[in-house]
Amino acid sequence: MSLRHIEYRLATAVAATALVVTCTSGAAVPSAAAPTAGTYSTDAAAATASQVLTAVNTFLGTLSSSQKTTVQATRTQANLSKWSNLPDALYARAGLRMDALTSAQQTAVLNILRSALSPAGFEQVTGITYGDGVLKAQGGIDLDFGADHYWIRILGTPSATGKWTIQYGGHHLAVNITLSGDTMTLGPTLWGAQPAYYTKSGATVEPLVGETDKAYTVLQSLNSTQLAAAILDTPVKEIVLGAGQDGKTLAYDGVRASTFTAAQKTLLLDLVNEWITPLNTEQAAAKLAEAQAGLDQTYFAWSGSTAADQPVYYRVQSPAFTIEFAHQQGSGANAGGVTHIHSIYRENGNDYGAED
């Protein structure tokens, strides 16, 4: 295990054992237990949705008529599905790219992300995009990499009552933020990283460190019977439900969390939190409670080495969501090992807010 992973686990060990899910009304729900009775604050969720709408309208107000035509499109399935983890040299995106915007317009785009995401979610986005600039600077094959080679697109008419979607993405990032009235979702969102970690201003940046290390923590907590159930019979090296796979599902596989101890359930819920809490706190609260309520019906699956810092694949499936994570195991100047990650978060039956 590397020093950076040891430091991370020491920093999060106490938090993992004391994890709670907090309602916006202020009530705390102990992890690995059914949510307490009560109502999440719809007022807080509505206020957050209103802030996102304001940020989007502010951004649109900075654009010329031709830019507005380019950035806005109808909310069709074909347009919703137009995202990829591939770099721009290999995939033709739609919308406006950040490097084509003025500094004021770029700031307005980032304000949209700040309003829709939690601070940790915004940091994860910027960590991934900055990393693409690091990748470019490292040399090798340049497939149009760059920290500002990321695209913004608005699908549907932004409003306080209708359904519409904000798309922001590029190489190793596809954030789909759908609003339907006062509710929001991030399903589906693809999180990737290359390099998986780098140094910035003397500090190590690892955008998907929690998603990596907390999975190993769950894995290492399993007894021999649970581990045997968790290991997939057929090796998997890439996410299955990535770009171009809208509407598809995976059969449940792996070890079922109903066999877990209370401590193991806490660790699994802590891992799941990494995928839900990039959404702002007010909107994530109900999703966290839903994940907790379905914990006994949740499965954890693994493929690859059980040793740290090795290329692996894992999957977490519940009635509400599907999570996949894969270290890319290819070869070449810009691929391979634990330096290159693809992952996906989808909401079963609710990608792009289908159920809202």
Side-chain angles (χ1 to χ4, degrees):
M1 183 185 303
S2 68
L3 177 60
R4 63 192 173 83
H5 285 131
I6 293 172
E7 290 172 341
Y8 177 82
R9 291 184 184 176
L10 288 174
T12 58
V14 174
T17 57
L19 178 69
V20 298
V21 178
T22 303
C23 306
T24 56
S25 60
V29 182
S31 62
T36 57
T39 303
Y40 292 102
S41 173
T42 55
D43 289 342
T48 302
S50 178
Q51 291 170 3
V52 176
L53 177 60
T54 297
V56 169
N57 284 332
T58 298
F59 166 64
L60 294 175
T62 70
L63 303 180
S64 67
S65 59
S66 62
Q67 286 178 314
K68 285 182 181 179
T69 300
T70 301
V71 82
Q72 292 186 281
T74 55
R75 193 179 180 278
T76 63
Q77 183 57 50
N79 283 334
L80 289 169
S81 298
K82 195 172 178 57
W83 54 267
S84 174
N85 58 282
L86 295 174
D88 284 353
L90 301 179
Y91 188 82
R93 291 180 165 83
L96 292 171
R97 202 165 83 165
M98 290 290 276
D99 60 348
L101 301 179
T102 67
S103 59
Q105 290 170 335
Q106 290 176 2
T107 297
V109 171
L110 295 179
N111 284 340
I112 294 172
L113 298 175
R114 284 192 179 94
S115 64
L117 304 177
S118 66
F122 180 78
E123 183 179 4
Q124 184 156 298
V125 167
T126 55
I128 291 168
T129 59
Y130 187 91
D132 212 53
V134 173
L135 178 63
K136 181 179 180 66
Q138 287 178 344
I141 300 172
D142 184 357
L143 297 174
D144 202 5
F145 304 135
D148 55 2
H149 292 192
Y150 289 83
W151 300 72
I152 179 72
R153 198 180 192 204
I154 310 297
L155 302 180
T157 302
S159 72
T161 56
K163 186 180 294 185
W164 52 287
T165 297
I166 303 160
Q167 292 188 322
Y168 183 81
H171 187 213
H172 286 138
L173 181 68
V175 179
N176 290 290
I177 304 165
T178 296
L179 292 86
S180 180
D182 295 340
T183 64
M184 295 171 57
T185 179
L186 282 178
T189 283
L190 184 144
W191 304 104
Q194 188 183 13
Y197 57 94
Y198 55 87
T199 300
K200 180 182 179 183
S201 301
T204 298
V205 179
E206 189 169 4
L208 298 175
V209 62
E211 291 85 346
T212 302
D213 284 352
K214 290 181 180 181
Y216 275 107
T217 301
V218 173
L219 182 76
Q220 292 167 357
S221 77
L222 303 180
N223 62 37
S224 58
T225 300
Q226 292 169 328
L227 180 61
I231 301 299
L232 294 170
D233 293 334
T234 302
V236 183
K237 296 184 178 181
E238 171 63 294
I239 59 175
V240 181
L241 299 180
Q245 304 303 312
D246 287 352
K248 298 181 181 180
T249 60
L250 290 170
Y252 286 105
D253 205 348
V255 60
R256 185 167 169 164
S258 59
T259 69
F260 283 13
T261 65
Q264 289 173 321
K265 290 179 181 180
T266 296
L267 295 175
L268 180 60
L269 190 61
D270 193 27
L271 170 61
V272 170
N273 282 354
E274 290 290 322
W275 302 87
I276 295 177
T277 54
L279 187 60
N280 64 79
T281 302
E282 294 78 14
Q283 295 286 343
K287 296 182 184 298
L288 292 172
E290 186 177 21
Q292 190 169 34
L295 201 60
D296 278 350
Q297 290 77 50
T298 299
Y299 288 75
F300 177 79
W302 190 272
S303 181
S305 174
T306 59
D309 289 336
Q310 297 296 317
V312 300
Y313 167 94
Y314 75 81
R315 182 187 304 161
V316 184
Q317 296 170 275
S318 89
F321 58 81
T322 299
I323 292 164
E324 293 183 275
F325 176 104
H327 285 296
Q328 297 310 290
Q329 301 179 54
S331 60
N334 297 318
V338 296
T339 65
H340 186 171
I341 297 171
H342 292 170
S343 69
I344 189 78
Y345 166 80
R346 287 187 179 271
E347 293 188 352
N348 303 337
N350 193 45
D351 277 347
Y352 312 108
E355 292 182 347
D356 295 328

